[in-house]
Amino acid sequence: MYDLLITNARLRDGQLVDIGIQGERIAAVAPGLLGEGARTVDARGLLVSPPLIEPHCHLDAVLTEGDAGHNESGTLLEGIQRWSVRKQSLTHEDVKRRAVEGIKWYASQGALYIRSHVDVCDPSFTALKALLEVKEECRDLVDLQLVAFPQEGILSYPQGEELMEEALRLGVDVVGAIPHYEITREMGVESIHIAFRLAEKYDRPIDAHCDETDDDQSRFVEVMAAETLARGMQGRVTASHTTAMHSYSNAYAFKLFGWLKRAEMHIIANPPDNIILQGRFDSYPKRRGMTRVKELLEYGINVAVGHDSVMDPWYPLGTGNMLHAAFLALHIAQMSGYEEVPRVWDLVTENAARVMEVTEDYGIQPGKQADLVLFDAPTDRDALRTLATPLVCVKRGRVISETTAPRVRVFRGGQAEEIRYQQERIRGESG
Ligand code: 17E
Ligand code: FE2
């Protein structure tokens, strides 16, 4: 007798299984009936995936779009400037209300792990204190990690280093940085040294906004790789955005790849924001401004995709649907090859789990945390193509959301025909 039994679930490898859940853990995964569940969900041969993961967002800024005027230039710098105005009126309740709402949007669409940056260039730590509470209070919906993010610089903002260290004492999980925003190249390099010193002292991973610019001279990722190797932090360091890599010469990018791989660094691309923010100083042709996702993967470097923003001063759209971010990544990186499409699914699942260091708990196997999502599509490929409805989301063994798939009927010759946007042969395969 299981607390929750999912029957006829199609795993990503195509296997049809039943999944038995006891408490917060998966107890059994096997083809054919496992027995009884106190509650049963019939997956009807549809895809049951490990949850989507949002490895890079800003929950302190979520749902603030327009509050300090609209970002009309569409640039990163106007976003930072508008945020610096909006953050003066942050309150504990304001941050909590928006962040919890944002988490509900993410979680109900299948993102059950979230890593959020939180701006610590604020001596009162209003956002950080609120998000530390949200992390505990929303434990039923998501595993949430917080990154101490110095939005206005570690060295370019008064007391930036002290604020970073205080954030660590308050309990953030990850150390951030923003070297390309520091006033000088030298300050950028030094800000990375500070971030690594803090990470070592407090035994935390690093996730830095790094080289989020179209300036091909912005080369701070190489400094991160050098520090990672010097301090033996392989596997614990992530460079987010790295959009300048789009503009590097191939010769330099190739050299960099070698060091990223040796340093076992993770790269996070954020296609929704960066396809909006980058290329703004170009005429035509306009650069796409996303980091080299396809080539990094081909080289064997771990890459994940984040959504980054949901309605904030940098990006006015979004609902927290990680399939939107993955869909954009597929297009911008041109990962349309038959074998490439499922690798796009990895970008918002397995690869992001590695970034967040949650692989021990993550996956549909006995003993793992009982987190999973039933999509209204037979395969990951179809779920991406159709931006499939997340029918049922399960977190820590509990059904946390249900969404009804749209029902589409076409009327012809006095008849109603229901269509599902599926190719016949796939429909046939999935029964
Ligand atoms: N802050 C930043 O520096 N870059 C971004 N893309 C966002 C916030 C969303
Ligand atoms: Fe970001």
Side-chain angles (χ1 to χ4, degrees):
M1 179 83 167
Y2 298 98
D3 297 325
L4 177 62
L5 181 66
I6 319 277
T7 58
N8 305 307
R10 189 172 300 280
L11 301 180
R12 287 187 64 197
D13 65 8
Q15 260 195 97
L16 259 187
V17 295
D18 285 3
I19 302 165
I21 293 169
Q22 251 146 11
E24 297 193 356
R25 298 269 146 192
I26 295 175
V29 179
L33 266 185
L34 279 176
E36 301 273 296
R39 174 166 184 188
T40 301
V41 173
D42 182 1
R44 295 175 290 123
L46 297 170
L47 173 68
V48 172
S49 172
L52 304 178
I53 295 183
E54 163 59 300
H56 184 119
C57 68
H58 297 258
L59 288 177
D60 52 352
V62 80
L63 301 174
T64 59
E65 199 281 320
D67 290 358
H70 302 280
N71 185 338
E72 298 296 351
S73 69
T75 57
L76 172 68
L77 294 179
E78 185 174 339
I80 294 175
Q81 189 269 326
R82 292 199 180 278
W83 170 244
S84 78
V85 173
R86 176 59 176 85
K87 85 180 172 187
Q88 287 163 23
S89 61
L90 290 180
T91 67
H92 189 76
E93 284 315 313
D94 159 47
V95 176
K96 279 185 85 169
R97 188 169 28 80
R98 288 184 291 97
V100 170
E101 183 69 9
I103 286 170
K104 287 179 192 163
W105 291 14
Y106 273 112
S108 62
Q109 297 183 88
L112 306 181
Y113 289 80
I114 298 178
R115 175 181 279 185
S116 174
H117 296 253
V118 47
D119 185 0
V120 296
C121 293
D122 166 15
S124 65
F125 294 110
T126 303
L128 177 57
K129 287 176 182 166
L131 287 179
L132 284 166
E133 286 183 20
V134 168
K135 175 179 166 170
E136 293 310 315
E137 288 167 20
C138 289
R139 211 182 153 272
D140 58 331
L141 297 180
V142 293
D143 281 87
L144 177 60
Q145 293 179 358
L146 298 176
V147 187
F149 174 48
Q151 176 70 77
E152 297 181 60
I154 296 179
L155 290 164
S156 310
Y157 188 81
Q159 311 291 314
E161 182 174 353
E162 288 76 8
L163 293 170
M164 287 291 289
E165 181 145 18
E166 184 57 19
L168 280 156
R169 280 194 224 103
L170 287 170
V172 289
D173 305 285
V174 183
V175 179
I178 185 163
H180 55 276
Y181 186 80
E182 304 286 356
I183 304 171
T184 66
R185 155 94 204 163
E186 289 70 21
M187 289 161 83
V189 171
E190 179 55 19
S191 75
I192 292 174
H193 292 155
I194 292 169
F196 274 81
R197 275 204 296 278
L198 288 171
E200 206 167 46
K201 181 168 170 191
Y202 290 87
D203 188 24
R204 299 286 202 284
I206 289 183
D207 189 338
H209 282 63
C210 197
D211 300 323
E212 188 182 12
T213 166
D214 293 323
D215 177 7
D216 64 347
Q217 298 303 306
S218 189
R219 294 182 170 191
F220 295 105
V221 177
E222 66 181 20
V223 182
M224 292 185 69
E227 280 285 283
T228 304
L229 288 165
R231 293 174 191 266
M233 283 186 64
Q234 286 91 330
R236 304 212 70 195
V237 176
T238 300
S240 280
H241 295 289
T242 70
T243 56
M245 206 187 291
H246 189 92
S247 297
Y248 294 158
S249 70
N250 288 340
Y252 175 66
F254 183 73
K255 174 213 168 188
L256 184 62
F257 281 12
W259 291 108
L260 292 177
K261 187 160 180 182
R262 269 163 272 186
E264 297 168 41
M265 279 177 63
H266 311 283
I267 300 289
I268 297 179
N270 297 288
D273 277 53
N274 289 127
I275 202 66
I276 291 289
L277 298 172
Q278 307 313 130
R280 290 286 181 163
F281 301 98
D282 291 356
S283 55
Y284 285 93
K286 282 186 203 280
R287 285 168 283 183
R288 298 177 187 203
M290 188 172 78
T291 195
R292 301 190 183 200
V293 172
K294 175 168 163 155
E295 294 76 13
L296 286 160
L297 287 169
E298 280 168 359
Y299 201 84
I301 294 161
N302 188 45
V303 182
V305 154
H307 199 304
D308 204 13
S309 292
V310 179
M311 299 189 75
D312 70 13
W314 294 273
Y315 182 76
L317 311 178
T319 64
N321 185 339
M322 289 308 297
L323 293 189
H324 292 174
F327 190 81
L328 278 173
L330 184 154
H331 286 80
I332 302 167
Q334 300 185 321
M335 290 179 62
S336 55
Y338 188 76
E339 295 302 334
E340 285 172 336
V341 176
R343 301 285 73 79
V344 174
W345 193 267
D346 295 342
L347 296 173
V348 290
T349 56
E350 319 280 343
N351 297 9
R354 265 184 258 153
V355 169
M356 287 186 66
E357 303 185 359
V358 294
T359 50
E360 297 242 313
D361 270 341
Y362 185 85
I364 299 182
Q365 286 146 29
K368 304 266 189 180
Q369 187 161 287
D371 303 332
L372 53 84
V373 181
L374 169 63
F375 285 98
D376 184 29
T379 64
D380 47 20
R381 189 184 301 282
D382 279 289
L384 258 179
R385 179 178 60 82
T386 61
L387 300 171
T389 304
L391 298 169
V392 179
C393 299
V394 173
K395 183 66 179 175
R396 298 183 207 280
R398 203 175 61 85
V399 173
I400 59 136
S401 71
E402 290 178 350
T403 307
T404 307
R407 181 172 173 217
V408 184
R409 286 176 299 162
V410 176
F411 306 111
R412 294 180 79 198
Q415 301 284 323
E417 185 202 358
E418 203 160 314
I419 60 166
R420 296 204 353 104
Y421 306 121
Q422 301 292 350
Q423 259 176 313
E424 268 319 310
R425 66 185 160 83
I426 291 172
R427 200 190 288 168
E429 271 172 24
S430 70

